[in-house]
Amino acid sequence: MAKLDSKTPAGPLADKWQKHKQEIKLVNPANKRKYEVIVVGAGLAGSSAAATLAELGYRVKNFVFHDSPRRAHSIAAQGGINAAKNYQNDGDSVHRLFYDTLKGGDYRAREANVHRLAEVSVNIIDQCAAQGVPFAREYGGLLANRSFGGAQVSRTFYARGQTGQQLLLGAYSALSRMVGAGGVELHTNSEMLDLVVVDGHAKGIIVRDLITGAVSRHSADAVILATGGYGNVFNLSTYARQSNATAIWRAYKRGACLANPCYTQIHPTCIPVSGDYQSKLTLMSESLRNDGRIWVPKKKEDAKKDPASIAEADRDYFLERIYPSFGNLCPRDVASRAAKRMCDEGRGAGESGLGVYLDFSDAINRLGEAGVRERYGNLFDIYHEITAESAYKTPMRIYPAVHYTMGGLWVDYNLMSNIPGLFVLGEANFSDHGANRLGASALMQGLADGYFVIPYTIGDYLAQQKPGSRPPADRAEFKQAEENVTAMTKRFLANQGREPVSHFHKRLGKLMWEYCGMARTKQGLETALQKIPALREEFHANVKVPGSGDTLNQSLEQAGRVADFIELGELLCRDALTREESCGGHFREEYQHPDGECKRDDEKFGHVAAWEYQGEGQTPLRNTEPLNYEFTKMSVRSYK
Amino acid sequence: MVAPTTKKLFSVTLRVWRQAGPAQPGHFVDYPAANVNPDMSFLELLDVVNDGITKDGGEPIAFAHDCREGICGTCSCTINGKPHGPGQGIATCQLYMRSFADGDTIVVEPFRARAFPIQKDLVTDRSAFDQIQQAGGFISVRTGAAPDANSIPVPKEDADLAMDAAACIGCGACVAACKNASAMLFVAAKVSHLGLMPQGQPERDKRVFAMVQTMDAAGFGNCTNQYECSAVCPKTITHDFIARLNRDYLGALFRAKFKPVSNAAGGGGS
Ligand SMILES: Cc1cc2nc3c(=O)[nH]c(=O)nc-3n(C[C@H](O)[C@H](O)[C@H](O)COP(=O)(O)OP(=O)(O)OC[C@H]3O[C@@H](n4cnc5c(N)ncnc54)[C@H](O)[C@@H]3O)c2cc1C
Ligand code: SF4
Ligand code: FES
């Protein structure tokens, strides 16, 4: 049974981080260059960590499967990044950002972690501005802000609709500077396929060069994973196509606990699926719900009709009807589930029947077409590009889609997993968002972890490792891990199957969406737990992976990732089944209030569930870490 | 789960560049594709074709992609002779099959440029862009050493213009479109973005020297002001930035005459 000590420092909430920084062990400057640190990933979390650790003098090796660090999935974030700057003088504070984030997470995150996040948020904006990130500005030259869901203040900083891109390019420029200066050794097109654990400590990784197929061993004094979220377990999502769970899954199989995998976020406003060929779902910003009205036809017979031909009296503005006080601006999870119910009743719009209308005609009457264009023009353009429809003339069709994963590898306050020496940052860890993440807080967390937390906390671990004591890469543990990887590659290539990898990924996605998507039930999850292992067996028997292992082979890359997704999907369902309550993004139909809101059970489930691998074919162990709220009361989350 | 479509399906032929590796010769291979849905993206059609090739015992076409929404800069096909294909202001992944007609033959090649060697089929090595960035595409600021963000106001017009340049996704279409395979638009975008921000001033001269020098060394050609680059740029980055780069470079040369600056902007240690 894994030991889960959160190592939360004692003392008043607002002093914990300062005090902790003063008390943790330091590595002296001359010794830093004797330590080698592996950073896997160069999204916001990975590139900020790699750059900062190299600035401090550590020798950093950075691995990414992308052809350039600048292509990490963080690049796609649109809306913005939160920070408690209170530049608007509207009453924001570190405490308010802390409280909003904790409440937004439905009281399933650690208090101390969330408070630290809110504290360092202000430094992030300073850092990024100094790097030259072209944030939106007011006419006076000061930084502009916008509002986001779950907050009553304006604290979101942004760079047009490309905030993630600009923040990542900032972190990438810091990383590039350190690569140029020789502080970071950059390995692109390099996929980590196993973690090497020596005497109980994470001391290296096994990497496959995606262009040449060469497999190599890398030893280090500590390993950092900043490898992003696992939303593509659903196949269709707003994630980049290549985002995957392989790094965290293989670490899990080496003993790292995976916490709360069932906490997944489904965003209500995305462009719906148009056909079986679909590879990706595109997000339409939540801001559209300020002026758009959501409806479906009242009658099933009208579902396939041209929306213009459906009379006003035959339209059901269901959010306004069911949630009169919040209407179209009710919380993400509530809106998503309501849309699903309408479609399940057969009233969904469009060819597939999986869509609801987001109608701007009232707004156009009120503001004029030009007024709407000014507010949302770029989103209307994207919508047009994808669907060939003009949302000025006909309502948009939208549907919920998988967007973010709050679960991830378990970490303590130092961001270290239960395997000493293995640190996990960004979306790959579970730490700060509880059961639901508020908009504009993932970017904040990634950069907080990389720029401002790990540079301190890694010292506490390294100071206890003798300089130069890292094991050589010819040790048995490295050899065994490498053989593990090579054997898997060989097995795939030799398989006499008939179906391409995508076939299985699609089927897994459909299972996950059906049984473990927006609304989950005991029965459905039990069905999934029957079907997924069967799919897994079929996958290994019947997958076809053409080509060879010693060149660029995208089928082979995908095969490994989908194999991991299938196993992770099973664990996700198991976690959802055992969490007999509803909270945030995890909605069990059996546990709801009469108004359809989540019904938590703090008594029984006010804890983190951290799953521990027990070997092939064995049921994993469910460890728990109690969430002891010292300063806040776990209350019913209400936005009414 | 998905109902049968009522859209009119059609057929095209993909004529695709196949090349097993960097040193092997390449050639075109035709792949007929039936039941093409106009709402499919071009890359989704490649997915479908690839699944067919796999089932038939062949090796699927290697192509680069990731975000599939025009922001990561990974996708990079030259389609019917034009980098990113027939659209305007879009990347390959934002091209939809409704741009084509029944019976079309669509020619698909990798981005071609000396500095972007082909790795396999439609995949090229664009790491030369990273090298240019490593030489000087940054502002040297140590983490934690930054002043309050609002202590340096930035005029809105400058921030907006900087953002226009910073929107570059680093795809390399500009290079592929240029008959000299010049990287000027890419470098101009980066130099302009940082040069327009007050934070970017101290290293401005160093930066432009280092980046231009690295660009030349990486084997990109010269700019002869044809502006094919802006025409294919998925972010419609204007060639005005090239003029700005030239001005910056000349200014830096002029200043260097009187006050020598080091060519290496890197080495920012700590
Ligand atoms: C469409 C969209 C819009 C969003 N908008 C916002 C927003 O407005 N505000 C907000 O706060 N959040 C937003 N988010 C969420 C946010 O973008 C992500 O949570 C965040 O960027 C994740 O960053 P990361 O550094 O943890 O991981 P990523 O950016 O996903 O980076 C992962 C890195 O790990 C590498 N990697 C992964 N596995 C391996 C391996 N096995 N071997 C080697 N390398 C590996 C990859 O190459 C990559 O460099 C949005 C998300 C989406 C999908
Ligand atoms: S300037 Fe345009 S075409 Fe060139 S790399 Fe940037 S985005 Fe691509
Ligand atoms: S795949 Fe990301 S820009 Fe096309």
Side-chain angles (χ1 to χ4, degrees):
Chain A
M1 189 170 237
K3 209 171 127 262
L4 301 178
D5 175 3
S6 75
K7 299 208 193 82
T8 303
L13 186 60
D15 299 345
K16 284 182 195 287
W17 177 230
Q18 288 306 330
K19 195 165 144 274
H20 188 63
K21 280 199 289 187
Q22 282 156 21
E23 287 172 359
I24 55 181
K25 297 185 186 67
L26 296 176
V27 176
N28 87 51
N31 269 348
K32 285 200 175 92
R33 82 183 100 85
K34 297 183 187 150
Y35 291 105
E36 260 186 35
V37 179
I38 285 174
V39 180
V40 187
L44 287 181
S47 49
S48 57
T52 306
L53 292 173
E55 283 169 14
L56 288 170
Y58 294 111
R59 296 217 311 264
V60 177
K61 281 183 170 184
N62 187 202
F63 297 84
V64 297
F65 68 70
H66 286 95
D67 70 334
S68 162
R70 67 174 291 153
R71 309 224 194 274
H73 171 56
S74 294
I75 202 97
Q78 305 171 349
I81 176 166
N82 288 331
K85 277 291 197 184
N86 194 27
Y87 282 163
Q88 304 302 323
N89 197 24
D90 57 0
D92 200 10
S93 63
V94 165
H95 185 80
R96 201 177 278 276
L97 174 55
F98 153 74
Y99 180 72
D100 288 348
T101 309
L102 196 73
K103 172 184 169 194
D106 216 353
Y107 303 97
R108 287 290 176 266
R110 259 190 224 133
E111 275 181 322
N113 283 60
V114 179
H115 198 276
R116 174 177 64 192
L117 176 64
E119 280 173 64
V120 303
S121 69
V122 297
N123 307 111
I124 295 173
I125 302 303
D126 298 342
Q127 183 62 28
C128 297
Q131 289 168 345
V133 169
F135 283 119
R137 301 267 166 179
E138 294 166 354
Y139 281 99
L142 302 180
L143 289 158
N145 288 117
R146 53 167 63 143
S147 313
F148 250 67
Q152 286 159 324
V153 294
S154 223
R155 63 158 77 98
T156 305
F157 295 78
Y158 62 100
R160 289 197 191 142
Q162 289 125 279
T163 315
Q165 180 196 29
Q166 293 311 313
L167 295 176
L168 183 62
L169 291 180
Y172 164 74
S173 73
L175 174 64
S176 296
R177 169 170 165 258
M178 294 320 296
V179 173
V184 177
E185 191 182 295
L186 178 64
H187 297 256
T188 55
N189 293 309
S190 299
E191 182 156 51
M192 166 195 162
L193 292 178
D194 211 345
L195 177 75
V196 183
V197 179
V198 178
D199 299 333
H201 289 238
K203 290 294 170 194
I205 61 172
I206 305 296
V207 170
R208 179 169 179 271
D209 182 314
L210 299 181
I211 304 298
T212 65
V215 175
S216 56
R217 312 169 187 178
H218 301 267
S219 94
D221 296 281
V223 176
I224 297 175
L225 300 186
T227 50
Y230 52 86
N232 278 343
V233 66
F234 289 86
N235 184 34
L236 290 182
S237 75
T238 61
Y239 283 67
R241 255 334 262 173
Q242 314 281 1
S243 294
N244 68 80
T246 288
I248 62 165
W249 189 252
R250 309 241 168 138
Y252 163 77
K253 286 182 135 180
R254 293 276 173 201
C257 287
L258 188 53
N260 302 331
C262 79
Y263 292 165
T264 51
Q265 181 165 79
I266 290 171
H267 198 296
T269 54
C270 302
I271 299 180
V273 177
S274 70
D276 261 335
Y277 48 76
Q278 189 101 14
S279 61
K280 141 112 203 171
L281 297 171
T282 302
L283 180 71
M284 288 276 103
S285 170
E286 184 162 271
S287 60
L288 290 170
R289 286 199 278 146
N290 280 293
D291 286 303
R293 297 179 68 197
I294 294 179
W295 63 274
V296 290
K298 280 189 180 158
K299 293 179 280 194
K300 267 193 208 170
E301 310 83 88
D302 288 350
K304 295 270 180 296
K305 284 190 187 159
D306 173 7
S309 72
I310 301 171
E312 188 63 27
D314 291 330
R315 300 176 177 191
D316 177 11
Y317 294 89
F318 58 94
L319 291 179
E320 298 171 27
R321 174 173 58 82
I322 311 174
Y323 309 104
S325 58
F326 262 67
N328 293 297
L329 272 175
C330 65
R332 276 181 188 180
D333 47 348
V334 176
S336 293
R337 285 195 297 272
K340 178 182 186 294
R341 283 203 301 277
M342 299 305 120
C343 298
D344 290 350
E345 286 173 20
R347 296 193 283 141
E351 271 183 38
S352 64
L354 294 177
V356 300
Y357 292 117
L358 178 58
D359 198 328
F360 291 87
S361 47
D362 278 2
I364 290 171
N365 287 338
R366 193 159 32 91
L367 306 164
E369 194 174 309
V372 170
R373 190 182 304 276
E374 196 187 309
R375 286 188 192 175
Y376 307 114
N378 65 329
L379 294 165
F380 279 47
D381 288 349
I382 296 175
Y383 185 77
H384 179 257
E385 217 165 67
I386 295 177
T387 63
E389 286 175 8
S390 164
Y392 298 104
K393 306 227 150 45
T394 181
M396 283 185 182
R397 269 182 308 112
I398 52 155
Y399 198 66
V402 173
H403 180 60
Y404 184 85
T405 52
M406 281 73 69
L409 290 181
W410 184 90
V411 288
D412 64 15
Y413 189 71
N414 284 338
L415 303 182
M416 188 163 86
S417 73
N418 57 306
I419 302 181
L422 178 68
F423 294 80
V424 192
L425 319 184
E427 195 175 335
N429 75 22
F430 89 109
S431 71
D432 295 356
H433 306 294
N436 177 55
R437 173 180 71 80
L438 288 187
S441 59
L443 303 183
M444 169 171 73
Q445 184 224 332
L447 291 181
D449 288 359
Y451 283 136
F452 297 108
V453 179
I454 193 71
Y456 291 97
T457 57
I458 201 170
D460 196 49
Y461 171 77
L462 290 175
Q464 301 174 57
Q465 309 300 307
K466 240 177 65 207
S469 70
R470 76 182 152 269
D474 56 10
R475 274 191 57 140
E477 292 85 347
F478 282 88
K479 196 161 164 271
Q480 186 270 337
E482 182 183 319
E483 278 164 7
N484 186 27
V485 166
T486 334
M488 203 179 314
T489 304
K490 281 208 182 110
R491 210 162 48 236
F492 278 132
L493 291 169
N495 209 37
Q496 299 292 319
R498 289 210 313 266
E499 293 290 346
V501 178
S502 66
H503 168 86
F504 299 95
H505 199 182
K506 281 181 185 166
R507 281 174 54 194
L508 174 69
K510 281 182 183 159
L511 279 175
M512 294 301 298
W513 183 244
E514 167 115 17
Y515 297 112
C516 201
M518 278 183 278
R520 303 158 176 180
T521 62
K522 178 167 189 283
Q523 199 196 0
L525 291 164
E526 281 169 352
T527 310
L529 286 173
Q530 299 283 319
K531 292 192 172 193
I532 296 173
L535 178 67
R536 179 179 172 199
E537 235 168 74
E538 197 189 325
F539 169 76
H540 285 287
N542 200 26
V543 70
K544 176 164 193 164
V545 182
S548 70
D550 55 5
T551 65
L552 173 61
N553 186 338
Q554 293 171 323
S555 307
L556 181 62
E557 294 165 24
Q558 283 310 320
R561 295 170 189 172
V562 170
D564 293 344
F565 278 138
I566 296 177
E567 295 180 14
L568 169 62
E570 186 181 338
L571 185 67
L572 211 155
C573 292
R574 192 175 298 283
D575 187 42
L577 179 65
T578 43
R579 187 167 283 278
E580 293 171 335
E581 64 163 352
S582 295
C583 54
H586 168 62
F587 188 77
R588 284 281 300 268
E589 284 185 358
E590 305 94 320
Y591 309 100
Q592 55 179 310
H593 290 289
D595 58 357
E597 298 286 348
C598 288
K599 192 168 173 186
R600 284 196 335 251
D601 184 343
D602 296 338
E603 192 98 336
K604 268 168 60 193
F605 291 98
H607 61 235
V608 175
W611 294 89
E612 188 182 350
Y613 186 65
Q614 299 291 301
E616 185 98 40
Q618 303 297 312
T619 307
L621 197 65
R622 187 178 190 270
N623 300 293
T624 58
E625 178 208 328
L627 290 167
N628 298 319
Y629 277 35
E630 284 182 81
F631 307 93
T632 334
K633 201 171 139 312
M634 286 187 181
S635 51
V636 176
R637 190 179 63 141
S638 165
Y639 292 99
K640 289 190 173 160
Chain B
M1 205 155 75
V2 177
T5 182
T6 53
K7 291 271 157 78
K8 198 168 172 332
L9 305 183
F10 62 100
S11 302
V12 296
T13 301
L14 295 183
R15 178 162 297 162
V16 182
W17 184 259
R18 301 300 309 258
Q19 182 172 338
Q24 276 95 321
H27 56 282
F28 282 105
V29 177
D30 281 3
Y31 299 95
N35 297 323
V36 176
N37 186 317
D39 286 342
M40 252 175 160
S41 76
F42 173 76
L43 293 186
E44 284 167 348
L45 180 64
L46 274 186
D47 292 337
V48 170
V49 167
N50 269 346
D51 281 354
I53 297 175
T54 304
K55 285 185 168 212
D56 291 346
E59 228 194 290
I61 304 155
F63 66 96
H65 67 95
D66 196 16
C67 73
R68 299 208 177 190
E69 56 185 45
I71 192 73
C72 73
T74 309
C75 61
S76 44
C77 294
T78 294
I79 299 164
N80 289 340
K82 197 177 158 216
H84 293 313
Q88 247 277 295
I90 58 165
T92 305
C93 59
Q94 295 169 291
L95 178 64
Y96 283 77
M97 289 313 293
R98 66 181 81 92
S99 307
F100 300 98
D102 191 37
D104 277 0
T105 294
I106 306 169
V107 182
V108 192
E109 298 166 84
F111 280 2
R112 294 191 193 272
R114 186 154 60 102
F116 295 162
I118 295 177
Q119 289 167 319
K120 188 172 183 174
D121 298 339
L122 305 173
V123 182
T124 57
D125 176 358
R126 289 167 287 174
S127 55
F129 272 10
D130 289 315
Q131 287 157 22
I132 296 174
Q133 298 274 51
Q134 287 153 12
F138 47 77
I139 290 169
S140 299
V141 49
R142 218 176 345 101
T143 303
D148 182 84
N150 259 351
S151 64
I152 306 172
V154 182
K156 186 174 182 332
E157 304 74 55
D158 290 355
D160 285 347
L161 193 58
M163 182 62 215
D164 289 345
C168 164
I169 59 174
C171 62
C174 46
V175 177
C178 176
K179 67 178 171 58
N180 308 317
S182 164
M184 279 295 267
L185 191 62
F186 168 77
V187 175
K190 206 69 220 168
V191 164
S192 301
H193 156 209
L194 296 175
L196 277 157
M197 302 297 283
Q199 292 87 348
Q201 298 316 307
E203 292 166 295
R204 193 165 166 175
D205 290 356
K206 253 161 104 173
R207 177 181 312 119
V208 69
F209 281 138
M211 292 182 81
V212 168
Q213 225 170 50
T214 311
M215 169 180 81
D216 291 343
F220 293 102
N222 293 321
C223 173
T224 50
N225 302 322
Q226 311 283 312
Y227 304 141
E228 292 293 339
C229 49
S230 309
V232 300
C233 174
K235 296 293 145 187
T236 52
I237 291 181
T238 142
H239 47 74
D240 295 347
F241 288 120
I242 296 183
R244 187 178 272 275
L245 168 63
N246 285 328
R247 279 201 305 277
D248 263 27
Y249 190 75
L250 288 175
L253 267 184
F254 179 76
R255 281 184 292 275
K257 267 202 173 144
F258 299 99
K259 180 170 104 16
V261 293
S262 143
N263 276 342
S270 51

